[in-house]
Amino acid sequence: MYEEKINAYFDAPERRAELVEAISRLVRIRSVREEPLPGMPFGPGPAAALAEGLKLAEELGFATRNYDNYVGTADLNDKETALHILCHLDVVGEGTGWTVTEPYVPKEVDGMLYGRGTDDDKGPVAAVLLAMKAVKELGVPLRRNARLLMGTDEESGSSDIAYYYAREPYAPYAFSPDAEFPLINIEKGSYKPVFTKSWPAETATPRVTEFRGGFRINVLPPEAECLVAGLSADAARPYCDRAAAETGVRYELREEGDSLHILCRGKGAHASLPEEGVNAITGLLHLLCSLPLAKVGSTAALRALSALFPHGDCAGKALGIAQSDELSGALTLAFSLLTVTGTGLEGQFDSRVPICANDENCRTAAEASFSKFGFSVSGEMDAPHHTPADSPLVKALLKCYEQYTDYKGECLAIGGGTYVHDIPGGVAFGCCMPGFNGNMHGADEHTCIADQLTAAKIFTQAIIDLCG
């Protein structure tokens, strides 16, 4: 009924410019979580992005509310709320390797808009706001309200959404454009334990005295570095050349007095898709295992880690937890954080576990593997999320998707957790089209402007169908 009007509305040239400017306003704010400040539970960046998001919503004529800088909301009308649309304004750190533009300087190139957050998740915020505006300006009568939730802590655990739902009820329907089309109704569970090991102070050389790798649990580390006492660049270079050919990483050497600084460069990726990157931590461990290091506690610990997490093992085979099922797919694993000092280490991996995973075949199995090498482990498993494919929400959303694309609507299972992971009946819906890779969480993150406009059309129809 409204398809022709919706297409005409979003095909207007001014709508494209409006979308790009809205996304750009949000991208220019570095909304990475930092230490909390008074009234800013996740630091000044996320709070500033939320203020800008609420300002955008108010400029479009929506009633807004700020839930103590955890979550901001924008309401389409004052009727009973039937639909929650969950987006987030916080982003992961910028990392390294940007080539098209600076991370917080949005730039359009060949129909793509580059900048941190364009794909995850500031672009979708703008698309939803324009969809709500379209419903209002097209004069579509609604019986119920659609509410946009703009959160500020999705990348670090979603405590913002927990804060909101501790104060407000769930809506009958909920979806989050924090992923991809067609629709995600299964999100794997997770197991992200912390493991530690210590040893007495050491003096023998060559030995590793420092190691730092990774910057966020849900990002496959693009860089890792270490300091090796008692080793020269000339002595290490042949080992580096061989290890580089075996792993696909790059090693950069710099002598610092009697020590050698080694920087390992891999390729970052989202932790739920470790096969799309090159892990710098495991790449550096691979090299260290080949170096003629002294037979001390630190060397034994690093070699144990390389045995438990061999470079290229993204399934947890060596750790003894590899598994899969037909509905949700295979377990994935990313060794994402490691710090080593002169007397011990602490690390953490991020595994996304299928529906078939449980304490016995995952957590207990991993702990048993670690115990063989004298490591201590702590951490529990989080359950998967599953909304049945025949639910009314899933059927309605897939119909909207097929209405505005040439693709078939179907349900997907993913390893990444979205904003609806803990919301009963919720699903992830958009914004990326099938086959598009915006390099989320990596360098040169970008979104396709045309796809975002199509997503806005889909969201407009979804609001009408679910609230009309």
Side-chain angles (χ1 to χ4, degrees):
M1 178 179 177
Y2 291 100
E3 184 175 351
E4 186 175 339
K5 291 182 179 180
I6 291 171
N7 277 322
Y9 183 87
F10 283 103
D11 290 344
E14 61 268 23
R15 211 66 60 219
R16 185 185 193 280
E18 187 177 13
L19 176 70
V20 170
E21 177 56 24
I23 299 173
S24 297
R25 283 173 59 175
L26 299 172
V27 169
R28 292 185 186 107
I29 300 170
R30 185 181 186 275
S31 50
V32 178
R33 178 171 176 164
E34 296 178 300
E35 291 299 315
L37 295 174
M40 301 177 184
F42 311 115
L50 181 57
E52 189 67 16
L54 292 171
K55 184 180 178 182
L56 266 171
E58 291 165 1
E59 290 172 3
L60 296 176
F62 303 123
T64 64
R65 179 176 174 182
N66 187 336
Y67 286 78
D68 304 319
N69 274 332
Y70 283 81
V71 170
T73 60
D75 288 317
L76 184 55
N77 57 47
D78 58 2
K79 303 180 187 298
E80 182 182 0
T81 300
L83 172 64
H84 283 168
I85 305 175
L86 290 79
C87 299
H88 65 90
L89 292 166
D90 60 306
V91 297
V92 301
E94 50 271 25
T96 60
W98 289 75
T99 61
V100 176
T101 185
E102 296 298 315
Y104 307 106
V105 181
K107 182 178 180 180
E108 182 181 342
V109 179
D110 297 331
M112 304 291 169
L113 186 64
Y114 288 78
R116 176 62 84 225
T118 51
D119 188 44
D120 180 31
D121 195 36
K122 295 176 177 179
V125 170
V128 173
L129 282 171
L130 289 193
M132 293 171 64
K133 179 189 176 191
V135 173
K136 184 173 64 171
E137 293 192 345
L138 292 174
V140 181
L142 298 180
R143 292 186 297 110
R144 293 183 290 182
N145 176 48
R147 172 175 291 178
L148 169 63
L149 276 61
M150 294 177 282
T152 56
D153 189 43
E154 191 274 342
E155 299 293 0
S156 300
S158 299
S159 62
D160 52 344
I161 290 300
Y163 185 90
Y164 174 83
Y165 282 116
R167 290 154 179 79
E168 299 288 356
Y170 294 116
Y173 304 120
F175 74 81
S176 176
D178 184 27
E180 61 193 63
F181 288 118
L183 182 146
I184 294 165
N185 71 319
I186 296 176
E187 299 175 17
K188 292 178 182 177
S190 66
Y191 178 49
K192 306 175 183 179
V194 174
F195 48 91
T196 59
K197 185 173 176 58
S198 60
W199 51 83
E202 302 165 340
T203 57
T205 59
R207 75 178 189 280
V208 175
T209 57
E210 296 179 28
F211 188 119
R212 292 183 299 274
F215 63 93
R216 186 179 288 271
I217 181 63
N218 62 352
V219 178
L220 190 82
E223 291 185 357
E225 59 183 339
C226 71
L227 203 61
V228 183
L231 188 67
S232 68
D234 288 341
R237 193 161 284 115
Y239 297 94
C240 292
D241 292 342
R242 184 166 57 250
E246 294 167 345
T247 62
V249 302
R250 188 170 80 253
Y251 304 102
E252 299 176 8
L253 308 180
R254 184 182 72 248
E255 292 185 353
E256 297 181 0
D258 293 332
S259 295
L260 178 64
H261 178 270
I262 306 175
L263 174 63
C264 177
R265 296 189 187 275
K267 178 186 176 185
H270 194 284
S272 67
L273 299 168
E275 68 279 1
E276 293 186 357
V278 181
N279 194 320
I281 288 179
T282 58
L284 186 50
L285 288 173
H286 183 89
L287 168 65
L288 294 176
C289 284
S290 70
L291 293 177
L293 301 179
K295 295 181 179 180
V296 291
S298 59
T299 301
L302 293 169
R303 288 178 175 167
L305 286 181
S306 191
L308 292 169
F309 304 99
H311 188 71
D313 180 0
C314 300
K317 293 179 182 178
L319 195 61
I321 61 173
Q323 56 192 291
S324 66
D325 60 50
E326 186 175 352
L327 202 59
S328 56
L331 180 148
T332 62
L333 185 149
F335 188 173
S336 46
L337 296 171
L338 178 63
T339 301
V340 180
T341 66
T343 56
L345 65 80
E346 178 176 297
Q348 190 172 12
F349 68 84
D350 183 334
S351 63
R352 311 299 171 100
V353 303
I355 294 174
C356 64
N358 55 44
D359 262 4
E360 182 179 358
N361 62 27
C362 188
R363 183 181 63 82
T364 302
E367 290 177 353
S369 296
F370 275 115
S371 68
K372 293 177 183 178
F373 295 98
F375 286 84
S376 298
V377 191
S378 62
E380 302 297 325
M381 292 179 60
D382 290 327
H385 175 83
H386 181 202
T387 296
D390 60 355
S391 72
L393 174 63
V394 170
K395 290 180 177 179
L397 293 179
L398 288 179
K399 180 183 176 185
C400 295
Y401 170 74
E402 291 183 339
Q403 194 171 344
Y404 292 90
T405 71
D406 296 326
Y407 301 112
K408 176 178 173 54
E410 59 183 351
C411 292
L412 305 174
I414 65 166
T418 75
Y419 239 8
V420 296
H421 190 86
D422 297 317
I423 297 176
V427 298
F429 185 58
C431 270
C432 290
M433 292 295 171
F436 178 77
N437 180 7
N439 212 27
M440 177 177 63
H441 290 195
D444 292 335
E445 178 183 345
H446 58 282
T447 190
C448 175
I449 298 169
D451 285 354
Q452 289 286 359
L453 286 168
T454 300
K457 295 178 182 181
I458 296 169
F459 298 152
T460 303
Q461 189 69 56
I463 292 169
I464 294 171
D465 290 353
L466 295 170
C467 300

